[in-house]
């Protein structure tokens, strides 16, 4: 009665076949959950938090950015450009990154890459959300 | 001490100094090579996961007119040339540039636009008057996946907008520390693995795609293109460090040979001086004795 979650990035394995009852994934059009015996699924992921739940408790939170999830025979495999477990996230660094991105957006120059700054801001906020225990947990 | 022996001594010292530098560079290259190889190994599980996903997606793509799979012409080609940012690595950069020029000669009847990754290639092509579609530097040393994905994103954009019909990448395949060879891969239009592999995999389960087949397929295809470019960059980085290590090792050995030669010359010259002095003394004594 469980699924196994593997999260890979180009430089490491963030989670390797971690067991849980339910996994919540940040799809591009909103969050969705996967339980065991889920039909094979393929979906791109946006910037968000992957939450693993067992017995009603969140057992792991992982901030991911840009990726693809594949569900096949109770194996949930996420390949993401970047992924960090909540216990690995440096909150001070994430805060600093958020501040930098906000400053860039507030004091725009002609050569400010707005799209990039917004993406950086979204990632920083996402990391903070994953690091801090959130009301949605 | 004659002027001759002093000169030789000075040369020995100078060669020894250079040797210290080449030895240090060899050590640095060896350390960087180890790091680059670790990264090359680390990308493999990711690569395999993406390939597996692509494999399961395949039956849905065959016969499909996905824009990334579709050829719309063959006149305009894009070639991404990956070279190093630095020299002192033997013929590493030269080989890649030569290969790029060979590609240009082979496709003389087409319109080839170059994108250079790496200072050496960018500088060379700019000097030779090529019109570069893009030039990226400072990516050889510690390229991130994000950087690779950004370059790939631009290439995919150009391809989808119909600005180019094919995208090729020229990089250095890392065979071993002493052997690297230039390699050209076509990235776009995307080549699907042979369908023959499909039958072996057995019947395919019905897959659900979110939000649509097109979007999911585009995400997986782009992902595997990103991985391919990233891998090419990592292969090149390993190759460059390997080439530098080998050439610095050779330089260090050559310096040893030179020092041995010069030391021999020095001893001979010193011997000659002593012999000359002795014979002068003996000659003088004999003259006095007469």
């Amino acid at each position: 009665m469980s699924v196994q979650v593997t999260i890979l990035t180009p430089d490491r394995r963030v989670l390797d076949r971690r067991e849980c009852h339910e996994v919540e994934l940040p799809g591009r059009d909103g969050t969705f959950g996967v339980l065991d015996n889920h039909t094979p699924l393929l979906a791109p992921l946006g910037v968000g938090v992957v939450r693993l739940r067992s017995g009603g408790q969140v057992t792991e939170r992982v901030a991911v950015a840009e990726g693809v999830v594949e569900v096949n025979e109770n194996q949930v495999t996420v390949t993401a450009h970047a992924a960090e477990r909540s216990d690995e996230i440096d909150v001070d660094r994430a805060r600093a990154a958020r501040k930098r991105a906000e400053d860039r957006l507030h004091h725009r120059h002609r050569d400010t890459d707005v799209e990039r700054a917004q993406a950086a801001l979204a990632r920083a906020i996402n990391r903070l959300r994953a690091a801090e225990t959130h009301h949605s947990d | 001490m004659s002027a001759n022996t002093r000169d030789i001594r000075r040369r020995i010292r100078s060669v020894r100094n250079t040797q210290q530098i080449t030895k240090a560079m060899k050590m640095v290259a060896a350390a960087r090579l180890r790091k680059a190889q670790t990264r090359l190994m680390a990308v493999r599980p990711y690569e395999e996961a993406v390939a597996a996903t692509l494999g399961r997606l395949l039956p849905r793509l065959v016969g499909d007119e996905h824009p990334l799979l579709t050829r719309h012409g063959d006149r305009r080609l894009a070639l991404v040339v990956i070279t190093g940012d630095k020299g002192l690595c033997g013929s590493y950069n030269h080989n890649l540039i030569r290969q790029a020029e060979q590609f240009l000669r082979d496709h003389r009847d087409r319109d080839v636009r170059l994108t250079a990754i790496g200072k050496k290639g960018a500088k060379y092509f700019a000097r030779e008057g090529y019109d570069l579609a893009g030039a990226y530097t400072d990516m050889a040393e510690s390229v991130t996946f994000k950087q690779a994905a950004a370059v790939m994103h631009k290439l995919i954009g150009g391809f989808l907008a119909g600005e180019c019909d094919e995208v090729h990448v020229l990089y250095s395949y890392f065979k071993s520390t002493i052997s690297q060879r230039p390699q050209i891969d076509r990235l776009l239009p995307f080549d699907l693995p042979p369908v023959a592999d499909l039958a072996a995999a057995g019947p395919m389960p019905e897959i659900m795609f979110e939000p649509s087949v097109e979007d999911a397929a585009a995400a997986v295809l782009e992902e595997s293109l990103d991985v391919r470019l990233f891998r090419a960059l990592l292969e090149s980085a390993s190759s460059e460090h390997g080439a530098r290590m080998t050439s610095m090792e050779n330089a260090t050995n050559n310096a040893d040979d030179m020092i041995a030669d010069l030391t021999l010359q020095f001893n001979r010259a010193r011997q000659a001086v002593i012999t000359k002095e002795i014979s002068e003394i003996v000659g003088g004594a004999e003259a006095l004795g007469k």
Side-chain angles (χ1 to χ4, degrees):
Chain A
M1 282 295 285
S2 64
V3 289
Q4 291 189 322
V5 184
T6 304
I7 299 182
L8 297 165
T9 71
D11 26 64
R12 67 200 179 107
R13 249 178 240 272
V14 180
L15 284 188
D16 192 12
R17 293 166 179 262
R18 182 72 66 83
E19 298 257 349
C20 69
H21 283 143
E22 187 201 348
V23 56
E24 187 185 297
L25 297 152
R28 283 209 184 138
D29 300 336
T31 308
F32 60 92
V34 171
L35 292 159
D36 66 331
N37 273 327
H38 197 285
T39 180
L41 167 80
L42 190 59
L45 297 179
V47 173
V49 182
V50 176
R51 287 190 179 80
L52 275 63
R53 286 205 180 86
S54 284
Q57 292 283 312
V58 172
T59 53
E60 189 75 79
R61 292 188 303 274
V62 182
V64 298
E66 299 263 334
V68 176
V69 63
E70 202 203 349
V71 182
N72 194 35
E73 290 173 4
N74 290 333
Q75 293 292 331
V76 178
T77 311
V78 175
T79 44
H81 290 193
E84 270 177 295
R85 283 198 311 271
S86 56
D87 56 307
E88 297 170 328
I89 295 171
D90 185 336
V91 177
D92 291 334
R93 246 192 64 207
R95 283 217 182 90
R98 181 177 65 183
K99 177 118 208 327
R100 264 202 314 279
E102 280 169 351
D103 286 349
R104 272 215 302 275
L105 288 172
H106 284 149
H107 312 282
R108 283 183 201 179
H109 297 292
R110 228 174 306 117
D111 50 352
T112 301
D113 189 340
V114 176
E115 205 177 311
R116 223 184 101 197
Q118 273 166 350
L121 181 61
R123 282 197 305 271
I125 291 172
N126 184 48
R127 268 154 66 214
L128 287 170
R129 198 177 291 154
E132 287 151 9
T133 318
H134 201 252
H135 53 82
S136 68
D137 283 358
Chain B
M1 194 113 317
S2 77
N4 192 20
T5 52
R6 216 171 22 239
D7 275 356
I8 296 174
R9 263 233 304 252
R10 196 176 294 146
R11 281 191 62 199
I12 290 177
R13 208 176 313 135
S14 137
V15 172
R16 194 163 281 146
N17 284 340
T18 309
Q19 188 188 31
Q20 254 157 21
I21 295 169
T22 58
K23 209 183 256 170
M25 286 187 74
K26 186 195 134 193
M27 308 277 248
V28 172
R32 294 212 167 130
L33 171 63
R34 235 182 342 264
K35 229 167 89 188
Q37 275 182 291
T38 313
R39 298 188 72 199
L40 204 49
M41 298 290 271
V43 77
R44 194 156 296 158
Y46 189 80
E47 214 175 6
E48 280 164 5
V50 174
T53 306
L54 183 65
R56 276 190 281 275
L57 180 65
L58 220 50
R60 296 295 291 268
L61 289 176
V62 174
D64 192 14
E65 299 284 289
H66 196 280
L68 287 173
L69 305 171
T70 313
R71 167 179 293 281
H72 27 72
D74 61 357
R75 274 221 45 78
R76 287 156 311 164
L77 313 184
L79 179 67
V80 182
V81 184
I82 301 172
T83 61
D85 284 332
K86 293 179 202 147
L88 290 176
C89 45
S91 56
Y92 171 76
N93 289 311
H94 176 72
N95 283 347
L96 289 161
I97 288 168
R98 215 178 45 194
Q99 199 67 39
E101 293 193 310
Q102 183 64 44
F103 184 91
L104 291 169
R105 270 197 299 280
D106 291 346
H107 299 86
R108 216 171 313 152
D109 50 335
R110 322 263 189 94
D111 180 12
V112 183
R113 288 203 72 194
L114 295 170
T115 296
I117 299 180
K119 226 172 261 170
K120 288 285 166 184
K123 266 196 186 150
Y124 176 84
F125 294 121
R127 196 170 56 230
E128 295 290 306
Y130 289 103
D131 174 27
L132 290 176
Y136 305 87
T137 54
D138 301 312
M139 271 174 61
E141 199 52 62
S142 55
V143 63
T144 62
F145 188 77
K146 226 160 58 183
Q147 287 176 313
V151 175
M152 198 63 232
H153 188 75
K154 219 181 143 205
L155 292 166
I156 291 173
F159 179 78
L160 291 179
E163 284 158 22
C164 69
D165 302 322
E166 281 180 27
V167 177
H168 297 256
V169 61
L170 165 59
Y171 63 101
S172 180
Y173 176 71
F174 181 76
K175 235 166 114 189
S176 71
T177 312
I178 48 160
S179 168
Q180 309 91 26
R181 70 182 153 71
Q183 164 103 16
I184 296 180
D185 285 354
R186 199 187 78 199
L187 298 179
L188 288 167
F190 197 99
D191 251 338
L192 288 175
V195 189
D197 296 352
L198 273 177
M204 288 292 156
E206 201 51 42
I207 307 178
M208 200 169 110
F209 295 96
E210 286 288 341
S212 66
V213 190
E214 289 72 35
D215 288 341
V220 176
L221 289 172
E222 277 174 32
E223 200 65 31
S224 54
L225 287 168
D226 291 350
V227 176
R228 284 184 74 182
L229 185 63
F230 185 57
R231 176 171 200 108
L233 284 159
L234 291 182
E235 294 265 2
S236 294
S238 292
S239 298
E240 186 186 341
H241 295 314
R244 182 165 295 120
M245 204 179 112
T246 315
S247 76
M248 286 303 114
E249 163 122 49
N250 288 340
T252 307
N253 292 342
N254 287 346
D256 267 335
D257 292 350
M258 273 176 87
I259 290 170
D261 272 359
L262 287 168
T263 309
L264 196 68
Q265 265 183 46
F266 172 77
N267 286 337
R268 253 189 219 132
R270 195 185 54 165
Q271 198 79 56
V273 171
I274 292 166
T275 313
K276 202 175 128 214
E277 275 173 6
I278 288 174
S279 64
E280 270 166 10
I281 290 166
V282 171
E286 271 175 4
L288 282 177
K290 269 183 188 164

